[in-house]
């Protein structure tokens, strides 16, 4: 196994292109565990942590660009980011333990492509864009369009996600992420739900994005749940319609972590609870 | 027998603390040797399969591989139980469960050993398997072993049923007719694992001359020595076993899983061999406790008197014969003074890892059934659950459900303390329920050896033979100091290897503070006798005219002589001139371990939309006889309660149709984490055990017995429906709602 520290992203792309089975190393909290379990490493590890800019959180066009090597702990310590996208940050902060938070990255969580990844529904609800560099150049793609299936993203060979862009927000808007796990920490989402809302001056929801995790092969947006919320002040009937739409959008599996029946029901519960948190954060009153 | 103590009951700093928090303590995997090889074990991917052939030639040819062994490398073992242990360490002929060892490799690096495993070719012929206890017991079920069916068992049960036990007295049918309400329920509990943080690990070195050294993480190194020397056909005296510091055992380290394999690899390669299990191996191949299917029927009159109780326990104990349901049957109704009671138990084999003890083995599940039905009767009859238990509680002189008559016991005291505690009267918010349950454990005495040396500077070294899994070095030093009348800090207790002190039984049955304590007190008495003799020699008076008071020899009275007291340190300082070193030792098998009772109170909150249960408040009351070091005792009570919480809510062995374990890791085998738990309040009750000079009862196991039922009873109150199956995971609770 070869280990190379990439100088810049072009260097990283070149390295990824020249060796079959090369893997990108950022926080390594998924990759190192996989390597330990398989007892054989990839042919090449491309470390991107020292690429200039990769570890930065930058304000851009009123939003934030978060480098691929930024850890969860760094996002949690960034007051302005947290104020603007509290749901995204709380989702990232749920990944692993305090020790893992010091290493784990949001981009890594996306690239691991688990259907239960915590940050992915939050990025979907935030309409996040991924910046991708590859042999063909640089492109920006909505995160939702990258999701291909368990363990899979729509990335071409030698492509590298270098950052995530979270757009600017209008006043009276906020997001929230909630997950259900059978204990209180150190676990994997049985259901995850992210909601992002924009309110008008009267507290009526102008725009909503609802995303679910762990209930389908990939995280997914739920437009029917969004429609149920828009134009309401999150009254009981809006919440019930949001819950029903969220449950209806589920296509989960039965496994040791939860049954189809359970995940379907709890998806609605998590979505409405996340909606309430986002609504209050956006200045609404319930 | 109220006694005044100087040291017992205080909370000195733990003697093993500094080494543990600084990382200096040597656990099983921390020892290395020059020229050491690394071993790995190949495990069956099948629940049940004939091993048609094993070709190890390619693995043996790999550079760096020094030895490969299979079941064929082990000689026939005469003793049936030792043979089962050996065949659990390495399959012979058939692989009996997913994870059963079929071959092992020792190589110059871990990586080479891992690669060598992939080169071993095993041809399996899969056989029908069974993992559920009720299915395994049914006639016609696939048999795990032929010819081991329990005696006296009929055609109504399969050959997987290896034992039957029945305890009780009176006439249960007559008792049920006297009841105003009779409830009968079926309960199921999942297999749970001891969950010790330190996986099994050892370093073995066995020479061609039959002399061996073995370092391992175990609850009983004498047991390891006896079993391994028998399996390997060497003399016990030639195998020295040293117990490492232990990162938890909870009963799971009272047998061997890897030591015979490492010794055999060492013998074959001529090199020291280190073998460390992975967490996945720990789950797949070391013993969880039994799963259970149970029928419990109890009758109660309208005043809360239990008129009859009947329990039928069917335990699943994995792929070899065992006899642990007995403990469940004996403990099921042990809390109560009943006229009519019967508890029956069946031990059943399945294609799962062989069970091994887990903290009060067999009792928590039986108690879950009994305490749940009692709670339901209280609800139906409108009676207070503590009053009902007080009305039926066993006391001094009660004939227990399993035979003996109790001496002084503390169940009533524990129930009274619970009743009077502010927790019991605290208001309950919405979606919250309060559960109560009692629990019992026998405790054990067993064989013990202690050697105590009085040093010339007035300090004391004590060697005992029981690995310290719960603070015994502290409690033994405290008892030695109390008996000798010297400060705690002057005593250092170590756990000796098998060549340094006499035989000692395994650290189990909450026996060490009781049994080693008695041996320590007796060793101190022997040393004191010698100290008095030396003082008499110096004073030139009769030895009988000297007594030991507050750590010093003194004449028994003015007639005996007029000398100021001579301290232990003073006598020891001149011991070289008065006859040589002063020491005391004791070997024995004390058998008056007092039984112990606990009462647990728990408030649970259930989220009605997700079925998630959180523990809001927990108070555990337990009679421990005498708390030598109360902080450790509280830790034992808290630890037992927490393991019971996991058992009740989230821990389970999950098997699919293919008979393979689906959750061999801490992610999906859910032990509660710190944030899942409130502070567990431990309330120590002290009703002295008449069988111990200081009143000690074992305290390590009782606390895991009540929580399963206490939490289930709390959930039943919170949601207005009762579940009859553990764990009460959120999907199960939501479904019930």
């Amino acid at each position: 196994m070869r280990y190379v520290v990439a100088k810049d992203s072009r260097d990283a792309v070149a390295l990824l292109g020249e060796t079959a089975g090369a893997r990108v190393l950022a926080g390594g909290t998924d990759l190192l565990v996989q390597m330990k379990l398989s007892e054989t490493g990839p042919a090449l590890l491309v470390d991107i942590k020292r690429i200039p800019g990769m570890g930065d959180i930058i304000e851009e066009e009123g939003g934030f660009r978060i480098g691929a090597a930024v850890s969860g702990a760094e996002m949690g310590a960034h007051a302005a980011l947290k104020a603007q996208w509290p749901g995204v940050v709380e989702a990232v902060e749920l990944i692993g333990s305090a020790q893992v938070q010091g290493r784990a990255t949001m981009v890594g969580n996306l690239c691991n492509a688990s259907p239960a990844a915590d940050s992915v529904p939050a990025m979907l609800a935030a309409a996040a864009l991924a910046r991708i560099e590859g042999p063909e150049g640089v492109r920006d793609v909505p995160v939702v369009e990258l999701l291909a299936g368990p363990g899979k993203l729509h990335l071409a060979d030698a492509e590298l996600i270098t950052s995530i862009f979270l757009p600017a927000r209008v006043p009276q808007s906020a997001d929230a992420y909630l997950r259900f796990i059978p204990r209180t920490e150190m676990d994997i989402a049985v259901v995850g739900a992210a909601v992002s809302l924009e309110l008008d001056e009267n507290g009526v929801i102008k725009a909503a994005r609802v995303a679910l995790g762990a209930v389908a092969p990939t995280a997914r947006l739920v437009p029917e749940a969004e429609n149920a919320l828009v134009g309401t002040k999150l009254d009981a009937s809006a919440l019930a319609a949001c819950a029903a739409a969220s449950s209806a959008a589920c296509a989960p599996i039965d496994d040791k972590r939860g049954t189809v029946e359970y995940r379907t029901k709890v998806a609605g519960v998590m979505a409405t609870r996340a909606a309430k948190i986002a609504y209050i954060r956006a200045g609404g009153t319930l | 027998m109220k006694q005044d103590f100087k040291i017992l009951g205080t909370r000195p700093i733990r003697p093993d603390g500094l080494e543990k928090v600084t990382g200096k303590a040597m656990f099983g995997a921390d020892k290395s040797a020059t020229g050491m090889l690394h071993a790995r074990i190949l495990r069956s991917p099948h629940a049940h399969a004939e091993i048609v052939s094993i070709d190890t030639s390619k693995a043996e040819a790999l550079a760096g591989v020094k030895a490969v062994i299979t079941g064929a490398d082990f000689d026939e073992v005469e003793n049936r139980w030792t043979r089962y242990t050996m065949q659990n360490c390495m399959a012979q002929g058939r692989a009996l469960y997913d994870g059963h060892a079929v071959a092992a490799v020792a190589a110059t690096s871990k990586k080479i050993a891992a690669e060598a495993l992939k080169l071993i070719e095993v041809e399996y012929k899969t056989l029908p398997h069974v993992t559920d206890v009720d299915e395994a017991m049914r006639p016609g079920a696939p048999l795990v072993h032929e010819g081991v069916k329990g005696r006296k068992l009929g055609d109504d049960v399969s050959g997987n049923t290896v034992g039957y036990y029945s305890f009780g007295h009176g006439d249960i049918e007559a008792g049920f007719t006297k009841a105003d309400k009779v409830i009968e329920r079926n309960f199921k509990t999942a297999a749970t694992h001891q969950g010790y943080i330190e996986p099994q690990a050892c370093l073995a070195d066995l020479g061609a001359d039959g002399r061996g050294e073995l370092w391992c993480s175990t609850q009983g190194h004498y047991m390891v020595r006896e079993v391994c020397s028998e399996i390997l056909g060497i003399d016990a005296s030639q195998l020295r076993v040293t117990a490492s510091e232990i990162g938890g055992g909870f009963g799971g380290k009272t047998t061997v899983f890897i030591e015979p394999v490492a010794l055999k690899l060492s013998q074959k390669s001529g090199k020291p061999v280190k073998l460390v299990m992975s967490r996945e191996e720990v789950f797949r191949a070391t013993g969880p406790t039994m799963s259970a299917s149970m029928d419990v029927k109890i009758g109660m009159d309208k005043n809360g008197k239990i008129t009859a109780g009947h329990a039928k326990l069917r335990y699943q104990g994995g792929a070899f014969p065992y006899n642990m349901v007995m403990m469940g049957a004996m403990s099921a109704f042990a809390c109560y003074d009943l006229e009519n009671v019967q508890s029956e138990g069946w031990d059943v084999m399945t294609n799962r890892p062989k069970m091994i003890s887990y903290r009060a083995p067999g009792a928590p599940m039986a108690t879950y059934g009994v305490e749940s039905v009692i709670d339901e009767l209280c609800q139906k009859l409108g009676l207070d659950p503590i009053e009902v238990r007080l009305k039926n509680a066993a006391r001094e002189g009660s004939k227990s459900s399993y035979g003996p008559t109790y001496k002084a016991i503390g169940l009533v005291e524990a129930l009274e303390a619970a009743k009077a505690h502010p927790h019991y009267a605290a208001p309950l918010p919405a979606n919250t329920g309060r559960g109560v349950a009692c629990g019992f454990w026998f405790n054990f005495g067993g064989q013990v050896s202690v050697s105590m040396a009085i040093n010339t500077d007035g300090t004391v070294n004590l060697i005992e033979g029981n690995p310290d899994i719960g603070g015994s070095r502290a409690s033994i030093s405290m008892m030695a100091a109390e008996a000798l009348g010297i400060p705690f800090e002057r005593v250092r207790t170590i756990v000796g290897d098998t060549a340094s002190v006499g035989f000692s039984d395994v650290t189990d049955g909450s026996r060490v503070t009781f049994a080693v304590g008695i041996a320590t007190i007796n060793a101190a008495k022997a040393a004191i006798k010698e100290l008095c003799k030396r003082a008499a020699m110096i004073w030139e008076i009769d030895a009988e005219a000297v007594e030991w008071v507050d750590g010093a020899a003194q004449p028994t009275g003015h007639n005996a002589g007029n000398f100021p007291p001579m301290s232990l340190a003073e006598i020891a300082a001149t011991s070289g001139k008065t006859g040589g070193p002063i020491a005391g030792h004791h070997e024995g098998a004390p058998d008056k371990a007092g039984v112990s009772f606990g009462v647990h109170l728990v408030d649970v909150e259930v989220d009605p939309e997700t079925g998630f249960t959180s523990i809001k408040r927990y108070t555990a009351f337990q009679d421990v006889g005498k708390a030598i070091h109360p902080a450790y005792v509280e830790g034992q009570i808290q630890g037992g309660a927490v393991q019971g919480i996991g058992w009740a809510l989230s821990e389970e062995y999950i098997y699919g149709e293919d008979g393979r374990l689906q959750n061999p890791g801490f992610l999906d085998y859910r032990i509660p984490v710190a944030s899942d738990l409130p502070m567990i309040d431990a309330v120590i009750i002290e009703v002295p055990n008449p069988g111990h000079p200081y009143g000690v009862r074992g305290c390590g196991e009782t606390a895991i017995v009540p929580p399963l039922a206490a939490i289930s009873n709390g959930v039943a109150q919170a949601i207005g429906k009762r579940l009859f199956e553990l764990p009460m995971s959120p999907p199960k609770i939501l479904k019930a709602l």
Side-chain angles (χ1 to χ4, degrees):
Chain A
M1 190 184 75
R2 210 153 59 94
Y3 166 84
V4 181
V5 176
K7 291 190 293 289
D8 53 38
S9 43
R10 289 184 62 173
D11 184 29
V13 167
L15 284 161
L16 292 171
E18 74 192 27
T19 309
R23 296 287 303 270
V24 175
L25 176 69
T29 56
D30 286 311
L31 183 58
L32 265 57
V33 175
Q34 289 162 9
M35 286 167 58
K36 208 171 164 185
L37 285 177
S38 73
E39 285 166 348
T40 46
L44 172 67
L45 273 187
V46 181
D47 189 337
I48 60 164
K49 283 193 292 295
R50 291 182 217 169
I51 294 174
M54 230 31 121
D56 296 340
I57 300 172
I58 299 162
E59 289 196 49
E60 185 179 310
E61 296 172 359
F64 288 94
R65 181 164 298 283
I66 297 153
V70 172
S71 72
E74 287 167 322
M75 288 178 67
H78 196 291
L81 172 65
K82 208 168 173 173
Q84 189 167 321
W85 289 104
V88 173
V89 175
E90 73 192 345
V92 172
E93 287 188 298
L94 283 172
I95 301 165
S97 60
Q99 292 91 327
V100 168
Q101 279 289 307
R103 308 289 295 186
T105 67
M106 183 163 72
V107 169
N109 195 226
L110 172 61
C111 291
N112 190 50
S114 161
D118 288 306
S119 70
V120 176
M123 283 192 269
L124 263 49
L129 296 174
R131 176 154 294 172
I132 297 162
E133 293 197 34
E136 310 297 319
V138 178
R139 60 189 179 117
D140 286 335
V141 181
V143 168
V144 68
E145 291 175 18
L146 284 174
L147 309 178
K152 279 186 236 145
L153 291 186
H154 292 297
L155 282 180
D157 285 347
E159 279 194 325
L160 172 73
I161 301 178
T162 56
S163 66
I164 296 290
F165 179 66
L166 298 174
R169 302 234 70 177
V170 297
Q172 290 184 294
S173 62
D175 66 335
Y177 175 77
L178 267 188
R179 67 174 182 182
F180 181 81
I181 54 171
R183 56 189 159 199
T184 49
E185 61 179 328
M186 300 297 290
D187 217 321
I188 288 180
V190 174
V191 173
V195 176
S196 176
L197 300 175
E198 286 178 31
L199 314 187
D200 71 12
E201 59 279 9
N202 300 317
V204 175
I205 296 168
K206 280 195 299 186
R209 286 173 71 90
V210 177
L212 297 175
V215 294
T218 68
R220 54 171 58 172
L221 284 162
V222 189
E224 299 77 11
E226 296 165 3
N227 295 339
L229 300 177
V230 172
T232 76
K233 288 184 170 184
L234 216 57
D235 51 84
S237 65
L239 287 168
C242 171
S246 298
S247 292
C250 293
I253 52 167
D254 252 327
D255 73 358
K256 61 198 170 195
R257 294 186 187 135
T259 58
V260 167
E261 182 191 6
Y262 185 77
R263 286 189 152 113
T264 304
K265 166 84 167 59
V266 173
V269 175
M270 290 296 120
T272 55
R273 288 183 181 179
K276 287 185 202 171
I277 297 168
Y279 188 76
I280 289 165
R281 280 180 182 163
T285 44
L286 287 171
Chain B
M1 54 178 275
K2 177 87 182 147
Q3 301 183 65
D4 289 324
F5 297 111
K6 288 196 171 65
I7 292 165
L8 308 190
T10 64
R11 300 172 180 240
I13 291 171
R14 55 189 297 166
D16 57 338
L18 186 68
E19 287 189 353
K20 282 182 177 164
V21 300
T22 55
K24 278 169 69 182
M26 296 280 285
F27 291 90
D30 291 332
K31 190 106 167 165
S32 294
T34 308
M36 176 180 88
L37 303 177
H38 297 271
R40 286 287 306 269
I41 293 175
L42 184 68
R43 297 183 179 279
S44 166
H46 303 294
H48 193 189
E50 186 189 330
I51 301 169
V52 179
S53 64
I54 306 181
D55 182 351
T56 59
S57 56
K58 285 182 189 147
E60 280 160 5
L62 184 68
V65 171
K66 301 295 179 187
V68 182
I69 61 166
T70 68
D73 286 273
F74 289 92
D75 294 332
E76 182 80 7
V77 176
E78 200 172 316
N79 177 286
R80 171 184 177 214
W81 298 101
T82 310
R83 187 168 68 243
Y84 295 146
T85 302
M86 185 261 279
Q87 290 178 338
N88 191 37
C89 293
M90 189 61 68
Q92 291 182 319
R94 281 181 304 141
L96 300 172
Y97 55 90
D98 167 44
H100 197 171
V102 296
V105 172
T108 50
S109 76
K110 290 183 209 168
K111 199 168 173 347
I112 293 171
E115 279 170 26
L117 287 192
K118 294 177 191 158
L119 298 175
I120 298 174
E121 290 167 5
V122 186
E123 189 189 335
Y124 294 102
K125 184 181 156 211
T126 58
L127 299 169
H129 67 270
V130 62
T131 56
D132 176 80
V133 61
D134 291 320
E135 285 174 25
M137 209 173 152
R138 213 166 281 148
L143 289 185
V144 185
H145 294 278
E146 306 259 2
V148 292
K149 186 168 178 174
R151 280 174 291 175
K152 292 184 277 181
L153 287 168
D155 294 338
D156 55 329
V157 296
S158 78
N160 290 321
T161 317
V162 292
Y164 169 76
Y165 303 87
S166 178
F167 298 91
H169 54 251
D171 180 342
I172 52 171
E173 291 314 320
F176 286 125
T177 61
K178 287 184 201 156
D180 291 305
K181 184 92 194 158
V182 176
I183 290 180
E184 181 173 12
R185 297 289 185 200
N186 173 257
F187 298 90
K188 285 192 166 61
T189 63
T192 55
H193 196 273
Q194 296 82 356
Y196 35 82
I197 290 301
E198 182 202 19
Q200 272 81 354
C202 70
L203 174 63
D205 192 358
L206 182 57
D209 57 359
R211 274 167 63 165
E213 297 283 340
L214 177 63
W215 162 274
C216 60
S217 176
T218 179
Q219 288 177 240
H221 42 308
Y222 292 86
M223 171 276 297
V224 172
R225 181 188 67 175
E226 316 252 306
V227 173
C228 290
S229 57
E230 196 177 340
I231 289 174
L232 286 128
I234 55 176
D235 290 344
S237 62
Q238 298 304 316
L239 179 62
R240 182 169 68 154
V241 184
T242 307
S244 70
E245 283 291 343
I246 185 167
F250 311 107
K253 293 177 183 169
T254 58
T255 185
V256 298
F257 296 102
I258 55 170
E259 290 82 356
V261 175
L263 284 165
K264 181 58 80 177
L265 285 166
S266 175
Q267 194 178 42
K268 203 162 177 176
S269 64
K271 303 265 190 189
V273 171
K274 184 167 178 169
L275 180 44
V276 180
M277 280 183 129
S278 68
R279 180 60 58 185
E280 184 185 325
E281 289 180 289
V282 167
F283 274 111
R284 287 171 72 203
T286 72
T289 191
M290 300 145 287
S291 61
S293 167
M294 308 174 288
D295 304 309
V296 177
K297 182 179 180 184
I298 299 175
M300 193 180 277
D301 72 17
K302 60 183 188 306
N303 300 316
K305 181 78 192 156
I306 297 171
T307 60
H310 187 197
K312 293 189 201 173
L313 317 173
R314 297 169 293 274
Y315 285 6
Q316 172 284 126
F320 291 91
Y322 73 103
N323 54 4
M324 203 59 99
V325 78
M326 182 176 76
M327 305 295 247
M330 289 169 79
S331 59
F333 289 101
C335 288
Y336 302 109
D337 185 338
L338 304 178
E339 278 178 35
N340 308 298
V341 59
Q342 189 188 11
S343 48
E344 300 173 86
W346 290 263
D347 280 316
V348 184
M349 295 182 299
T350 63
N351 294 108
R352 294 198 192 201
K354 179 182 186 298
M355 63 71 59
I356 190 65
S357 302
Y358 177 21
R359 210 169 194 158
M365 42 289 230
T367 304
Y368 159 62
V370 168
E371 291 290 299
S372 294
V373 174
I374 291 176
D375 192 70
E376 197 175 352
L377 284 162
C378 293
Q379 279 182 332
K380 296 270 161 68
L381 293 166
L383 299 167
D384 177 87
I386 292 185
E387 292 296 350
V388 165
R389 285 173 172 85
L390 272 169
K391 188 182 275 290
N392 295 286
R395 296 151 202 268
E396 185 169 2
S398 295
K399 182 176 166 59
S400 70
S401 58
Y402 63 97
T405 297
Y406 291 126
K407 298 201 167 53
I409 55 172
L411 176 58
V412 168
E413 286 78 356
L415 282 163
E416 292 286 4
K419 193 169 94 173
H421 196 277
H423 183 173
Y424 198 53
L428 275 175
N431 301 320
T432 306
R434 176 167 298 146
V436 182
C438 298
F440 157 91
W441 187 244
F442 308 88
N443 299 325
F444 180 53
Q447 300 181 74
V448 62
S449 304
V450 160
S451 176
M452 176 188 279
I454 312 291
N455 303 317
T456 52
D457 65 352
T459 62
V460 172
N461 282 118
L462 193 146
I463 308 175
E464 50 116 345
N466 277 101
D468 177 358
I469 64 170
S472 54
R473 278 168 295 188
S475 69
I476 289 157
S477 291
M478 289 172 79
M479 285 186 277
E482 186 80 41
L484 292 167
I486 61 172
F488 166 75
E489 293 72 21
R490 293 210 186 136
V491 184
R492 183 171 178 195
T493 297
I494 66 152
V495 179
D497 61 60
T498 54
S500 63
V501 67
F503 181 85
S504 298
D505 273 326
V506 170
T507 295
D508 67 0
S510 301
R511 60 176 289 267
V512 174
T513 297
F514 169 77
V516 182
I518 286 179
T520 297
I521 294 161
N522 287 331
K525 278 185 187 159
I528 287 167
K529 194 173 174 195
E530 185 63 23
L531 287 159
C532 288
K533 200 176 112 191
R534 302 296 176 93
M537 194 186 292
I538 293 163
W539 291 330
E540 297 180 339
I541 63 175
D542 283 349
E544 288 72 39
V546 179
E547 63 182 358
W548 193 259
V549 179
D550 290 339
Q554 64 180 36
T556 50
H558 289 298
N559 293 342
N562 198 7
F563 303 101
M566 191 180 285
S567 71
L568 179 142
E570 288 172 293
I571 300 168
T574 61
S575 58
K577 293 173 192 158
T578 60
I582 300 171
H585 66 99
H586 184 83
E587 296 75 33
D591 61 355
K592 296 192 171 85
V595 299
S596 163
F597 294 88
V599 178
H600 288 201
L601 267 184
V602 58
D603 293 357
V604 302
E605 182 182 13
V606 180
D607 182 334
E609 291 186 311
T610 64
F612 181 80
T613 302
S614 47
I615 308 289
K616 307 306 284 186
R617 186 172 183 181
Y618 204 108
T619 314
F621 307 82
Q622 188 173 318
D623 171 27
V624 302
K626 173 67 195 170
I628 302 297
H629 191 306
Y632 275 109
V633 171
E634 287 158 3
Q636 288 292 327
I637 295 172
Q638 291 163 336
V642 169
Q643 289 188 312
I645 290 168
W647 203 333
L649 294 176
S650 58
E651 295 181 34
E652 61 179 319
Y653 264 51
I654 303 172
Y655 283 91
E657 288 292 311
D658 60 1
R660 298 186 64 179
L661 181 62
Q662 294 186 355
N663 56 337
F666 280 137
L667 176 58
D668 287 305
Y669 181 89
R670 287 188 172 75
I671 288 178
V673 296
S675 59
D676 293 334
L677 303 162
M679 183 65 187
I680 310 286
D681 286 319
V683 179
I684 291 171
I685 314 284
E686 294 185 319
V687 176
N689 169 20
H692 187 280
Y694 297 149
V696 167
R697 296 175 196 276
C699 71
E701 290 168 287
T702 303
I704 200 175
V705 182
L708 285 58
I711 293 161
S712 183
N713 294 341
V715 168
Q717 193 185 35
I719 67 174
K721 285 197 176 118
R722 189 172 287 275
L723 276 72
F724 300 98
E725 194 177 325
L726 301 183
M728 295 178 288
S729 57
K732 282 189 208 156
I733 291 185
L734 198 63
K735 198 165 186 159
L737 287 166

